Amino acid sequence: MSTQQGWRLFHGDGRRREAVMPPAPPWRRFGDQPGDQPGERSEADQRSPQPYLIAPHHADVVNAALHLRRPLLVTGAPGTGKSSLAQAVAQELGLGRVLHWPINSRSTVQDALYRYDAIGRLRETTLSRDRDEAEPSIGTFVRLGPLGTALVPGDRPRVLLVDELDKGDVDLPNDLLTVFEEGEFEIPELARLPEEQAEIAVLTERPGEQATVRRGRLRCREFPVVVITSNGERDFPPAFLRRCVRLDLPTPDEERLRAIVTAHLGPEALVEVDDLLDAFLRRRATRELATDQLLNAVFLRAGGVDLSADGLLDAVLHQLGGAV
């Protein structure tokens, strides 16, 4: 084995090499940092805070949603920072880890509220009876989903990201209206329990956390900060739109792109980056590109990667839309 030199870690020639992995981009660092003891970091610090730049008039829209306790419906082209906005709000306001509900065609409000493992309860109850042991609590088999966890009562609101709602079933926005308007929901499996089991502790989406459900109903004390993203693939019902605060994030211009690069990688990253920025803007004029693709290119350039190598810039600044 030989020590790997230069920016090429992989050569594709089958030869064994002892490669030292270079530092990851700031936005792709996971887990504990050097010197941390396992599990000692709070859930709000599981990943290093990333800078988020937003125009003052857009921040005002976010503030309107916070004051009104209404969901914030965020639209815009891919890569404009729609999903990152929820994390930015949570970090700046100290609201803890973001609850994430990624939407697909099979997503339902029921699954996002809670899941009940009836089969698991039956199995464990049977085993307990066979061993002449106390039966496990039904709450052991109820786990709140991201939406249900967001509605757990507390003195501080929780942050919920409903990501790409336009990918869900056409009825999903309407199904959310009742929950958003009432701020509560019922778990029928717990509501049917006798009076002596009026309070049941259930699991939540957050590891190690439990919530108490009283008489089968859970009602928030502070309405959660709900950030809903949409790529504009379809329209939403007027009744749903009326209950949301709308924010459309524009595609960042050259000045804002330079500010974003500086915020993420430091002012030194702007040195000799004009050609990359020009290439990005030229390609973005005719195809769909995301801002993080530019960040990737700048990070590679700063790390000594030769972006003039055949096809490398095309691979980094590839078109997002269309067939692959």
Side-chain angles (χ1 to χ4, degrees):
M1 295 185 296
S2 62
T3 302
Q4 173 66 41
Q5 301 293 326
W7 67 269
R8 287 187 171 88
L9 304 176
F10 173 72
H11 288 246
D13 57 9
R15 291 179 55 194
R16 181 77 178 270
R17 294 175 173 86
E18 186 176 323
V20 178
M21 294 298 292
W27 53 90
R28 293 298 297 167
R29 295 172 186 169
F30 302 90
D32 294 333
Q33 299 299 308
D36 290 334
Q37 296 299 318
E40 75 174 3
R41 304 176 72 208
S42 68
E43 63 179 13
D45 294 327
Q46 288 302 309
R47 297 185 65 175
S48 299
Q50 295 300 312
Y52 187 88
L53 300 182
I54 187 171
H57 60 285
H58 293 142
D60 288 344
V61 178
V62 177
N63 283 300
L66 295 175
H67 280 278
L68 295 171
R69 271 57 168 190
R70 288 291 187 183
L72 180 68
L73 177 59
V74 187
T75 57
T80 52
K82 299 188 298 296
S83 299
S84 301
L85 178 57
Q87 185 65 38
V89 172
Q91 289 178 350
E92 187 169 324
L93 301 184
L95 298 179
R97 187 175 182 177
V98 174
L99 297 161
H100 187 202
W101 181 20
I103 303 297
N104 57 49
S105 59
R106 299 179 301 278
S107 298
T108 65
V109 172
Q110 172 66 48
D111 289 338
L113 289 174
Y114 77 96
R115 299 177 295 277
Y116 172 55
D117 185 5
I119 296 177
R121 184 190 180 199
L122 177 61
R123 180 180 62 250
E124 293 300 321
T125 299
T126 302
L127 291 174
S128 297
R129 290 174 179 173
D130 291 342
R131 293 192 295 256
D132 197 24
E133 298 174 351
E135 297 180 7
S137 169
I138 185 176
T140 308
F141 306 98
V142 177
R143 181 180 293 276
L144 302 180
L147 177 56
T149 302
L151 295 173
V152 171
D155 295 331
R156 301 271 285 167
R158 301 175 183 228
V159 180
L160 172 66
L161 171 61
V162 184
D163 213 4
E164 298 188 331
L165 182 61
D166 49 335
K167 293 187 179 300
D169 184 82
V170 65
D171 293 325
L172 186 58
N174 282 330
D175 294 339
L176 282 169
L177 288 180
T178 300
V179 178
F180 285 161
E181 285 301 292
E182 299 181 359
E184 67 176 1
F185 66 98
E186 182 182 73
I187 302 178
E189 292 84 356
L190 303 184
R192 294 192 292 262
L193 295 175
E195 183 65 26
E196 58 268 21
Q197 299 184 59
E199 293 189 355
I200 298 292
V202 302
L203 304 173
T204 76
E205 183 82 1
R206 292 177 170 174
E209 182 187 65
Q210 289 188 325
T212 300
V213 180
R214 293 175 174 82
R215 304 186 188 280
R217 298 196 71 83
L218 196 149
R219 181 182 180 86
C220 69
R221 187 177 306 148
E222 278 285 344
F223 187 76
V225 178
V226 181
V227 177
I228 304 172
T229 71
S230 170
N231 290 324
E233 295 185 4
R234 63 177 176 81
D235 296 330
F236 295 122
F240 176 79
L241 294 177
R242 180 168 59 86
R243 291 167 170 84
C244 295
V245 175
R246 298 284 300 275
L247 172 61
D248 185 54
L249 292 178
T251 301
D253 57 16
E254 180 177 349
E255 180 181 359
R256 184 156 291 272
L257 287 173
R258 290 182 181 274
I260 291 173
V261 170
T262 301
H264 283 269
L265 299 173
E268 63 277 3
L270 290 177
V271 178
E272 298 182 357
V273 78
D274 290 346
D275 60 328
L276 291 179
L277 188 56
D278 290 342
F280 178 82
L281 292 171
R282 186 173 61 255
R283 294 172 184 231
R284 197 182 67 179
T286 59
R287 65 185 73 172
E288 197 173 81
L289 295 179
T291 303
D292 57 356
Q293 291 174 286
L294 174 63
L295 289 174
N296 291 336
V298 175
F299 177 81
L300 291 175
R301 168 70 64 80
V305 175
D306 181 12
L307 288 174
S308 63
D310 290 345
L312 186 52
L313 190 60
D314 289 335
V316 176
L317 300 182
H318 60 85
Q319 181 174 345
L320 298 181
V324 177

